[in-house]
């Protein structure tokens, strides 16, 4: 009978899985759990919160000392008003220092991030089904994915608060080591991609979304010049303008209360910020952005599948809410606000182009009649 050494270290269990499957529903608690805690907005809010607390305490102490030494004087009115304003701002910022409160504000503008979540992480990318659409994220798209013990944060666009919150509870058996290894595979493939027109993991996309026999294929490059006059840019510009006016007001009140250093600092900051705010407003009214991407896909009598760069989606054609035939370009708008562009030279023949335009027209007409 072989002897067993009780002091021998146990052999480590190696998890060599090449995929992680998930099947659940993304809830607000999942989004909050993966909300970035060290992002720029959170840092600025905490710095501002700290400054307001410090200044509120200092000004309140100054008022108390003045009352004890000299009693009430009308010169204390501006200081008292400023103290109340800063305390009010402090109380208002308290809620933004908590992840749960911040996440509710973000989700109010992004309700689509809460959905069915079914799919898997593989070495070639991420397949994600939201209950209606089949999404695919390729390696180039996933290089900024964040992996932690809490789960996986998958960004869906350039907005740092638009991400799929795949927490550990949603996986069959979550392993941060496996997830980190998969992420490294994505980064390696993205770094070694040589042809921008052929994204890494294209075979996985094709296998996930096989083209039906009656579908029309398209492939090509889209270049779009768009104005910067968007609600997001306008919102940022307005907030910056209000902040500048607030700092000027604080500066005037401080100078009136003989707190010259605080007043000069506030006004100097406002003038510095005014330069960048003016540039923001100029971008909003006159600026443009040029975007170009490679795309491929197909459109059938019932579905549209399109891969833009290394992110793809397949959806029922009934989601097409409107279309615009620009002659050489077909603009397809979904009922949720998404927009896709297919150029005439992306398809093989005039007959295919005509069939595609007529198909979109029929779908839109049918959906309008059924409402």
């Amino acid at each position: 009978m072989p002897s067993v050494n009780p002091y021998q270290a146990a052999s480590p269990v190696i998890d060599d899985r090449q995929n992680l499957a998930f099947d659940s529903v993304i809830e607000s608690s999942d989004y909050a759990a993966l909300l970035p805690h060290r992002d720029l907005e959170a840092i600025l809010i905490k710095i501002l919160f700290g400054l307001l607390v410090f200044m509120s305490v200092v000004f309140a102490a100054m008022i108390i000392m003045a009352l004890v030494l000299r009693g009430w004087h009308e010169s204390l009115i501006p200081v008292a008003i400023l103290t109340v304003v800063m305390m009010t701002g402090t109380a208002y910022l308290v809620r933004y220092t908590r992840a749960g409160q911040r996440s509710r504000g973000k989700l109010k503008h992004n309700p689509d991030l809460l959905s069915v979540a079914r799919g898997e992480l593989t070495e070639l990318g991420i397949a994600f089904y939201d209950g209606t659409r089949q999404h695919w994220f390729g390696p180039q798209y996933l290089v900024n994915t964040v992996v932690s013990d809490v789960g996986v944060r998958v960004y869906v666009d350039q907005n740092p608060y638009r991400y799929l919150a795949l927490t550990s509870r949603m996986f069959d058996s979550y392993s941060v080591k496996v997830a980190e290894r998969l992420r490294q595979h994505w980064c390696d493939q993205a770094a070694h991609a040589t042809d921008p027109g052929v994204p890494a993991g294209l075979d996985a996309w094709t296998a996930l979304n096989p083209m039906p026999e009656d579908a029309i294929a398209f492939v090509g490059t889209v270049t779009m010049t768009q104005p910067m006059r968007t609600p997001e840019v306008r919102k940022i510009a307005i907030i910056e303008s209000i902040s500048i006016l607030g700092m000027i007001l604080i500066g005037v009140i401080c100078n009136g209360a003989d707190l010259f250093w605080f007043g000069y600092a506030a006004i100097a900051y406002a003038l510095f910020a005014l330069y960048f705010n003016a540039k923001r407003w100029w971008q909003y009214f006159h600026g443009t952005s040029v975007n170009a991407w490679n795309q491929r896909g197909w459109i059938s009598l019932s579905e549209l599948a399109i891969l833009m760069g290394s992110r793809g989606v397949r959806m029922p054609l009934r989601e097409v809410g409107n279309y615009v035939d620009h002659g050489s370009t077909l603009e397809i708008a979904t009922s949720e606000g998404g927009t896709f562009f297919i150029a005439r030279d992306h398809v093989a023949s005039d007959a295919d182009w005509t069939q595609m335009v007529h198909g979109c027209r029929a779908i839109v007409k049918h959906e309008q009649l059924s409402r």
Side-chain angles (χ1 to χ4, degrees):
M1 180 177 180
S3 59
V4 178
N5 184 358
Y7 301 102
Q8 183 178 0
S11 301
V13 178
I14 300 176
D15 192 341
D16 59 354
R17 286 179 294 168
Q18 298 180 350
N19 70 300
L20 290 173
F22 55 90
D23 187 354
S24 187
V25 176
I26 298 178
E27 300 175 351
S28 57
S29 58
D30 299 307
Y31 182 89
L34 286 169
L35 186 70
H37 296 289
R38 298 184 61 84
D39 60 301
L40 180 59
E41 181 181 0
I43 293 173
L44 291 176
I45 287 176
K46 290 178 180 178
I47 291 175
L48 180 59
F49 177 77
L51 289 174
L52 286 176
V53 170
F54 174 76
M55 294 177 67
S56 297
V57 172
V58 170
F59 278 39
M62 291 171 59
I63 293 175
I64 293 174
M65 289 180 61
L67 291 174
V68 172
L69 297 176
R70 298 185 302 173
W72 176 256
H73 190 270
E74 62 181 11
S75 63
L76 292 177
I77 294 177
V79 182
I81 294 175
L82 184 59
T83 303
V84 172
V85 170
M86 289 189 295
M87 287 183 173
T88 303
T90 303
Y92 184 76
L93 283 178
V94 166
R95 63 176 182 169
Y96 288 104
T97 61
R98 301 175 182 176
Q101 197 70 33
R102 289 179 61 218
S103 66
R104 280 192 285 273
K106 304 302 179 186
L107 289 173
K108 182 180 179 180
H109 302 287
N110 301 281
D112 58 309
L113 298 177
L114 305 181
S115 68
V116 171
R118 187 179 307 132
E120 64 177 348
L121 284 64
T122 71
E123 294 181 351
L124 295 178
I126 296 179
F128 181 89
Y129 178 66
D130 65 5
T132 303
R133 301 182 178 191
Q134 178 66 59
H135 303 266
W136 184 78
F137 303 91
Q140 289 100 326
Y141 203 89
L142 296 171
V143 293
N144 294 322
T145 298
V146 177
V147 174
S148 67
D149 292 332
V150 178
V152 181
R153 187 194 309 145
V154 183
Y155 291 103
V156 298
D157 57 32
Q158 301 299 320
N159 187 333
Y161 302 108
R162 283 190 54 79
Y163 57 85
L164 303 177
L166 305 179
T167 53
S168 57
R169 72 166 186 85
M170 304 170 66
F171 291 84
D172 293 340
S173 178
Y174 180 71
S175 167
V176 66
K177 291 184 177 179
V178 174
E180 190 59 56
R181 188 169 65 245
L182 292 174
R183 181 186 178 280
Q184 189 58 52
H185 274 290
W186 302 332
C187 293
D188 293 342
Q189 292 178 72
H192 293 90
T194 56
D195 188 349
V198 182
L202 178 59
D203 291 342
W205 157 262
T206 304
L208 191 65
N209 305 280
M211 188 175 74
E213 294 183 358
D214 64 342
I216 300 172
F218 56 87
V219 59
T221 301
V222 177
T223 303
M224 295 295 300
T225 301
Q226 297 175 309
M228 296 287 288
R229 192 174 296 188
T230 63
E232 292 78 12
V233 176
R234 183 179 66 247
K235 179 181 177 181
I236 295 174
I238 292 175
I239 293 175
E240 289 177 347
S241 299
I242 295 174
S243 301
I244 291 170
L245 292 175
M247 293 303 293
I248 293 175
L249 178 61
I250 290 175
V252 172
I253 294 175
C254 287
N255 286 331
D258 295 332
L259 300 172
F260 297 109
W261 287 110
F262 282 110
Y264 293 151
I267 293 175
Y269 175 82
L271 293 176
F272 176 75
L274 183 62
Y275 169 74
F276 294 97
N277 183 242
K279 291 182 64 176
R280 183 88 65 184
W281 280 113
W282 189 94
Q283 287 181 340
Y284 177 74
F285 286 108
H286 305 287
T288 59
S289 62
V290 179
N291 298 314
W293 64 91
N294 296 299
Q295 68 178 27
R296 65 183 65 224
W298 48 263
I299 183 169
S300 69
L301 296 177
S302 59
E303 288 185 307
L304 168 65
I306 184 168
L307 177 65
M308 298 174 292
S310 59
R311 179 190 175 183
V313 60
R314 189 180 89 233
M315 70 184 74
L317 210 56
R318 64 175 180 272
E319 287 196 27
V320 175
N322 197 8
Y323 80 100
V324 180
D325 183 4
H326 296 287
S328 60
T329 305
L330 182 63
E331 179 181 348
I332 300 175
T334 68
S335 54
E336 294 185 354
T339 305
F340 304 99
F341 299 90
I342 303 175
R344 164 62 189 85
D345 57 3
H346 289 181
V347 299
S349 65
D350 291 334
D352 287 343
W353 176 256
T354 301
Q355 182 179 342
M356 183 182 296
V357 174
H358 288 173
C360 289
R361 181 184 305 161
I363 287 294
V364 170
K365 184 176 180 179
H366 178 270
E367 291 302 313
Q368 290 176 343
L369 291 174
S370 62
R371 292 186 186 126

